[in-house]
Amino acid sequence: MSECTHDCSSCQAECSSRTQSFLEKPHEQSSIKKIIGVISGKGGVGKSSITAMLAVCMARKGFHTAILDADITGPSIPKMFGVKEKATGTDSALFPVASRGGIDMMSVNLLLENDTDPVIWRGPVIAGVIKQFWQDVIWKDVDYMFVDMPPGTGDVPLTVFQSIPLDGVIIVASPQELVSMIVGKAVKMAQMMNIPILGLVENMSYLLCPDCGKQIPLFGKGGTEQYAQKQGLTLLAKMPVDPEIAQLCDSGEIESFQGDYLDAAVAAVLAR
């Protein structure tokens, strides 16, 4: 089969790269209603913590929620939920591990002998593991699955976009980023893959002064909002630098977090 050698976004040719679908089917015993990806143009912006809190918010509304941790080289979801139990399986399937609040999850750290063991794998191997988490895990009666995506726009995020039928994505950014470039890459990737963008979440947006309650923009302000307006996207939330949330993540108690920061993001997910 010959490969496409031109920019498909600027032509009308019905070549194989345009018409071929790479979507994979989940396990035959899985049942998943909606799948939302949480992505970022770069690492270190709090994508995993936003994923965890979104899952908690949806679980509090009575939905059976799940997290597929596709960030294979930086898996942090189990630690945030205090999950130490290892995943089990049979010759034909893997079973997710549930948090105390009933959120199902699958992460490479649930398969490694030690949480601190590094994942020193090349891209194709990592991509294969992500497909296994989708195809070989039995996700039972899931209303909303959140996929904690690998950062960036390389081979591994592309595997998620092409393999898993995402109903939409939420893009996480931080104020100090070069928004128009870094976030723009993630936005354009989603658009090129025809994945609906539910909106942006700006993390580490400000520090709330404990004495006067004033919002202090430690890393600048306005960049994410201006970019969202320019691109016709919705800024769903501005998350503060909150030491309490950081402590809850570190102690495995993220299901105890309080606050209405993500209400608009939850509404956007419900609207899908």
Side-chain angles (χ1 to χ4, degrees):
M1 181 184 296
S2 61
E3 293 186 357
C4 174
T5 57
H6 58 270
D7 181 4
C8 291
S9 65
S10 61
C11 80
Q12 299 298 319
E14 293 297 326
C15 55
S16 59
S17 61
R18 179 189 295 275
T19 59
Q20 182 178 2
S21 173
F22 296 96
L23 291 177
E24 303 284 357
K25 293 182 179 180
H27 193 280
E28 60 182 7
Q29 296 182 42
S30 292
S31 174
I32 310 160
K33 294 179 180 177
K34 295 289 183 178
I35 308 167
I36 306 298
V38 184
I39 68 176
S40 64
K42 62 187 290 293
V45 298
K47 167 181 55 62
S48 295
S49 61
I50 298 299
T51 302
M53 286 188 283
L54 283 170
V56 172
C57 288
M58 296 303 290
R60 288 176 179 174
K61 289 185 174 294
F63 296 105
H64 184 195
T65 309
I67 300 176
L68 191 160
D69 188 356
D71 194 354
I72 303 298
T73 59
S76 55
I77 293 297
K79 179 175 175 59
M80 292 183 187
F81 286 88
V83 172
K84 298 180 180 179
E85 177 186 351
K86 297 302 179 182
T88 59
T90 65
D91 291 339
S92 60
L94 288 169
F95 304 107
V97 178
S99 70
R100 289 185 293 271
I103 296 174
D104 287 338
M105 64 188 69
M106 178 55 71
S107 170
V108 74
N109 262 10
L110 301 178
L111 302 174
L112 298 175
E113 183 176 353
N114 300 302
D115 291 348
T116 56
D117 288 346
V119 178
I120 309 176
W121 299 336
R122 293 191 183 275
V125 177
I126 295 175
V129 171
I130 293 172
K131 288 184 179 181
Q132 281 188 294
F133 286 176
W134 172 245
Q135 294 177 292
D136 296 347
V137 175
I138 297 178
W139 301 99
K140 284 191 174 182
D141 302 320
V142 173
D143 295 311
Y144 288 93
M145 171 182 282
F146 292 91
V147 181
D148 184 11
M149 302 271 285
T153 57
D155 180 61
V156 180
L158 179 61
T159 294
V160 178
F161 274 119
Q162 290 185 322
S163 303
I164 300 176
L166 299 173
D167 292 289
V169 294
I170 290 175
I171 301 174
V172 181
S174 59
Q176 74 270 32
E177 291 186 60
L178 298 174
V179 174
S180 61
M181 181 178 71
I182 301 298
V183 179
K185 291 178 182 294
V187 168
K188 289 181 180 179
M189 183 177 188
Q191 292 172 337
M192 291 175 69
M193 301 301 295
N194 294 317
I195 307 296
I197 300 172
L198 306 188
L200 306 180
V201 170
E202 184 179 81
N203 197 24
M204 298 179 284
S205 182
Y206 58 88
L207 174 68
L208 196 63
C209 176
D211 295 323
C212 66
K214 180 181 178 181
Q215 293 184 4
I216 304 171
L218 295 175
F219 306 111
K221 63 178 181 178
T224 307
E225 189 167 12
Q226 291 174 9
Y227 176 80
Q229 292 175 350
K230 184 177 180 180
Q231 298 298 321
L233 300 172
T234 302
L235 182 59
L236 298 170
K238 288 186 175 182
M239 293 289 296
V241 177
D242 191 337
E244 183 176 345
I245 291 179
Q247 177 60 35
L248 291 174
C249 289
D250 289 342
S251 62
E253 299 288 343
I254 191 59
E255 288 175 293
S256 300
F257 92 91
Q258 301 296 321
D260 57 359
Y261 310 116
L262 292 173
D263 282 0
V266 169
V269 171
L270 288 171
R272 288 306 304 163

